[in-house]
Amino acid sequence: MKRRLFLQRMGSTACVLPLWANSLSSNFLSFSPTDADELLKKFVKNYDEYISRILKMQENDQGHLWSGGIKNEYGIHTPQHTAGFFQTLSCGYVSESSKYYHDKSLIQSLIHASEYMLKAQHPDGTIDLHTTNFHSTPDTAFTVEPVSLGYTLLKQDASEATEAIRENLKTYLQRAGKALSIGGIHTPNHRWVVCMALARIHHLFPDPAYPKRVDEWLKEKIDIDEDGQYNEQSTLIYSPIVNKSLITVARLMDKPELLEPVRKNLEMTLYYLHANGEVVSEGSGRQDKYQRGTMERYYYSYRYMALHDQNSQFAAMVSYLEENETDAISNALAYFLEDPELKKSLPASSALPTDYLKVFHGSDLVRIRRAERDATLLAKNPIFFTFFKGKAALEGIRLASAFFGKGQFEGESLEREGNEFVLRQWLEGPYYQPFAEDQLPTTDGDWEKMPKDERPQSEVQKFLSEIRIRETSTGFQLDISVTGTDRVPVALEMAFRKGSKLSGVQKVEDTEDAYLLEEGYATLKEGDSAIRFGPGKAEHSWTQLRGALPKLEAQCVYITGITPFEHQIEIS
């Protein structure tokens, strides 16, 4: 499984998120450090297997407009995929243990890939991200890292056979540098990716415009809160990208102060692990929200900072990944080849945190871990609770009501009251009166020209949803109260990971993977792990309420009622 995931990922740049799911051991303490030389041999072996496959993916028709390029999943040749292809082949070409070491058969592929990159580059130095961005400075920056890594490895290797390739890459990078020194961005992380790209180009081809532009972006300060969370809260994609970017700028431009936000984020992320080894992504503000993934994207940053700080917990995470995720972290090979310092021996490892309650105020999120079980509590999010127990996963609970088409629950804040965490949402549902004659905004009868919020209101309905969550000796108890306007249908949705076995529930007709828990307790089993939940309640069978979000892509179990609705659920 993991080898297949590695093969899927290689060749894509870091700005693309593949969807994947790993099944990992939840025992974070049973590992031993892996010797760096032996580790790199495993990396190279994985690269050899992948190179043999991706060589067939290159456009070899010399008459084709995009000769030398690599297609994306939509059949479009892209500089992003081709840049990753180039880095991968360069690693094989310079690695002495690779079967492709100084293999002449790679030279033509590398030449054609470098020629494609020049063709794909606009005269202004930018490239396109065909799914959304054109003449894009940030997407150019994302390609600079694999291209500059490939260039660096070939330059270090110093084979005469790659001189023409290196000249093409030099042209690409210098053109890109001009674009990056003046171009704009879209998102917070783009600033630091642009800085990383400029640092890499400046390191290879110094130009005073590059550090000047880096300093202009850095004057805005790093977007990190007191908890160690970056603005986008993107734990699967952009947090590891930001960490790597800041390390690169710190390393190549002598700015050690940039390591402090990296340090804070890595410390925080130790507490963003589900019991099965997956990363908490529920709070993300980007496309990785609710996606699954492991810590492998953080590997380089944890290893670099473990060595830099002699940090025992960071070393423990590195050792865990090297022991359990060798295939997934194989794309770190280029960094080891570029910087042999990474091969140094790690400091002695200490235990990773597996027993804690941590409140992250900046993210309105609470993490609770007790060995094999863990939970996430979230405000300002339709999913307000998740629970993992070994391999069994309750990936989210949501609450909705049919209250004027706006009853999807999102806690306005997450308050701690004694031993409970409390989420509340207040709603109002007014009716509207005619405009007074002297206040009519229009006389032509056009409804759209009569602002509803300026009309007098009457018969205002009020609605309070409150959820109290407290930890028990075996799991959690949730007290759910929905009051105010009476006779409003309510549905609680519990989304369990597909593929697991549910028992004690009743199928909802005409809806795939939807079940009612009418009474008593139900169980979800995955391997030797099980989650027990209940008791049930089913006052109606309407699960897809008007105004509620669409059903989650999961096995969803519903508890339903009519207001006033009071119900207590135990999860263990």
Side-chain angles (χ1 to χ4, degrees):
M1 173 66 171
K2 296 174 185 176
R3 174 66 57 84
R4 179 177 62 81
L5 295 172
F6 164 75
L7 298 177
Q8 289 175 341
R9 290 206 57 214
M10 295 298 294
S12 297
T13 59
C15 56
V16 179
L17 175 68
L19 301 180
W20 74 95
N22 283 344
S23 177
L24 302 176
S25 165
S26 62
N27 186 353
F28 281 83
L29 306 181
S30 62
F31 52 74
S32 57
T34 304
D35 177 78
D37 289 326
E38 290 302 312
L39 181 71
L40 293 190
K41 288 179 181 178
K42 294 178 182 178
F43 288 179
V44 170
K45 182 179 179 181
N46 283 341
Y47 266 73
D48 283 352
E49 181 179 340
Y50 185 58
I51 289 172
S52 66
R53 293 179 56 185
I54 63 171
L55 283 171
K56 302 172 186 177
M57 301 177 186
Q58 188 175 32
E59 182 60 66
N60 291 316
D61 180 358
Q62 296 303 297
H64 195 286
L65 176 62
W66 300 122
S67 172
I70 305 294
K71 294 179 182 178
N72 66 9
E73 62 270 33
Y74 305 113
I76 300 172
H77 298 83
T78 78
Q80 290 82 3
H81 288 73
T82 309
F85 172 87
F86 191 92
Q87 177 186 314
T88 301
L89 265 61
S90 298
C91 287
Y93 187 82
V94 305
S95 297
E96 293 186 6
S97 63
S98 171
K99 69 179 183 181
Y100 290 101
Y101 177 64
H102 282 194
D103 189 330
K104 294 179 181 179
S105 68
L106 294 189
I107 296 299
Q108 283 301 110
S109 293
L110 288 166
I111 288 175
H112 292 154
S114 66
E115 291 171 344
Y116 164 84
M117 294 300 293
L118 292 176
K119 288 186 292 185
Q121 191 174 34
H122 294 294
D124 64 3
T126 63
I127 54 94
D128 299 325
L129 176 63
H130 294 290
T131 53
T132 184
N133 297 330
F134 300 88
H135 287 264
S136 171
T137 302
D139 291 293
T140 303
F142 277 112
T143 67
V144 163
E145 186 185 37
V147 170
S148 61
L149 279 168
Y151 177 91
T152 299
L153 299 185
L154 295 179
K155 184 180 179 182
Q156 289 174 177
D157 181 71
S159 169
E160 291 184 7
T162 64
E163 285 183 0
I165 300 166
R166 283 179 273 147
E167 280 301 309
N168 286 342
L169 298 188
K170 179 180 178 181
T171 300
Y172 180 85
L173 292 170
Q174 289 183 317
R175 287 178 182 173
K178 291 180 180 180
L180 295 168
S181 63
I182 60 173
I185 50 86
H186 289 144
T187 65
N189 78 83
H190 284 171
R191 297 171 295 175
W192 318 133
V193 175
V194 167
C195 288
M196 172 177 63
L198 287 169
R200 285 197 171 278
I201 300 171
H202 183 67
H203 184 69
L204 296 170
F205 315 109
D207 185 319
Y210 303 157
K212 180 176 180 293
R213 187 60 164 177
V214 169
D215 287 341
E216 287 174 352
W217 285 122
L218 289 176
K219 285 177 183 177
E220 296 189 1
K221 299 183 180 180
I222 308 302
D223 53 311
I224 193 167
D225 66 19
E226 61 184 13
D227 299 324
Q229 183 68 275
Y230 295 116
N231 179 262
E232 294 169 292
Q233 301 184 34
S234 175
T235 50
L236 283 179
I237 310 177
Y238 293 111
S239 290
I241 286 175
V242 171
N243 287 336
K244 184 171 60 175
S245 298
L246 296 179
I247 289 173
T248 301
V249 178
R251 181 170 63 91
L252 299 181
M253 303 192 83
D254 191 24
K255 294 182 181 291
E257 67 275 11
L258 294 180
L259 297 180
E260 179 55 26
V262 176
R263 188 176 294 115
K264 285 182 64 176
N265 181 260
L266 295 181
E267 289 170 349
M268 182 209 75
T269 305
L270 294 173
Y271 298 93
Y272 265 63
L273 289 175
H274 291 301
N276 65 355
E278 295 173 0
V279 182
V280 173
S281 64
E282 295 91 301
S284 174
R286 296 300 304 276
Q287 65 265 41
D288 56 335
K289 191 181 188 75
Y290 308 140
Q291 299 298 313
R292 303 172 196 161
T294 70
M295 293 290 291
E296 52 96 358
R297 286 175 178 262
Y298 290 88
Y299 172 69
Y300 169 77
S301 298
Y302 272 116
R303 185 166 186 106
Y304 183 92
M305 293 302 295
L307 293 169
H308 183 278
D309 290 359
Q310 291 296 290
N311 185 301
S312 61
Q313 279 198 320
F314 293 176
M317 180 57 71
V318 172
S319 297
Y320 171 79
L321 290 169
E322 290 177 352
E323 185 76 14
N324 294 280
E325 291 296 302
T326 307
D327 294 338
I329 65 173
S330 291
N331 55 11
L333 176 61
Y335 301 102
F336 281 89
L337 297 175
E338 176 202 27
D339 181 13
E341 293 289 304
L342 287 175
K343 294 174 62 176
K344 286 185 176 179
S345 297
L346 294 167
S349 297
S350 59
L352 290 169
T354 59
D355 189 355
Y356 56 81
L357 186 158
K358 295 280 288 186
V359 179
F360 297 100
H361 296 285
S363 302
D364 289 302
L365 182 148
V366 174
R367 287 282 302 142
I368 302 174
R369 175 85 184 268
R370 307 300 178 201
E372 69 164 358
R373 66 176 187 266
D374 77 277
T376 308
L377 289 60
L378 305 100
K380 300 173 183 175
N381 195 315
I383 288 180
F384 61 84
F385 182 82
T386 74
F387 181 75
F388 284 61
K389 185 177 178 184
K391 297 176 182 179
L394 169 54
E395 296 187 299
I397 300 182
R398 303 191 303 189
L399 176 68
S401 66
F403 185 76
F404 290 89
K406 56 183 178 182
Q408 183 68 58
F409 177 82
E410 288 191 29
E412 294 162 1
S413 62
L414 184 57
E415 305 293 337
R416 191 169 189 174
E417 299 181 3
N419 66 341
E420 296 180 326
F421 288 95
V422 185
L423 294 154
R424 296 185 181 92
Q425 182 189 57
W426 293 89
L427 294 174
E428 291 188 350
Y431 291 86
Y432 298 94
Q433 294 290 327
F435 282 104
E437 185 174 355
D438 61 349
Q439 295 177 341
L440 279 170
T442 180
T443 58
D444 62 6
D446 189 340
W447 173 266
E448 299 300 330
K449 295 179 181 178
M450 302 179 188
K452 189 166 63 174
D453 58 357
E454 294 181 12
R455 288 179 178 273
Q457 296 182 4
S458 65
E459 301 99 23
V460 178
Q461 303 301 301
K462 299 182 183 294
F463 209 66
L464 171 63
S465 300
E466 180 180 275
I467 299 172
R468 293 181 172 270
I469 304 171
R470 60 182 167 273
E471 189 177 6
T472 67
S473 60
T474 58
F476 291 86
Q477 183 173 295
L478 281 62
D479 290 330
I480 300 166
S481 171
V482 187
T483 58
T485 303
D486 292 342
R487 304 179 185 177
V488 179
V490 174
L492 184 80
E493 178 185 49
M494 307 177 73
F496 295 92
R497 182 163 295 180
K498 282 190 174 184
S500 303
K501 183 179 179 180
L502 277 167
S503 59
V505 296
Q506 294 74 43
K507 183 78 175 65
V508 174
E509 295 297 327
D510 302 321
T511 305
E512 184 179 0
D513 289 326
Y515 307 87
L516 282 173
L517 180 55
E518 295 180 350
E519 61 182 1
Y521 288 80
T523 302
L524 176 104
K525 289 186 177 181
E526 176 63 38
D528 55 1
S529 303
I531 296 174
R532 182 175 182 265
F533 58 99
K537 186 176 187 177
E539 294 185 316
H540 61 81
S541 60
W542 188 22
T543 61
Q544 307 303 296
L545 305 186
R546 182 173 180 177
L549 292 170
K551 175 185 172 296
L552 288 165
E553 287 294 321
Q555 297 184 95
C556 294
V557 177
Y558 295 89
I559 292 173
T560 65
I562 304 290
T563 59
F565 179 80
E566 304 279 347
H567 194 68
Q568 185 178 91
I569 302 172
E570 297 174 5
I571 302 172
S572 62

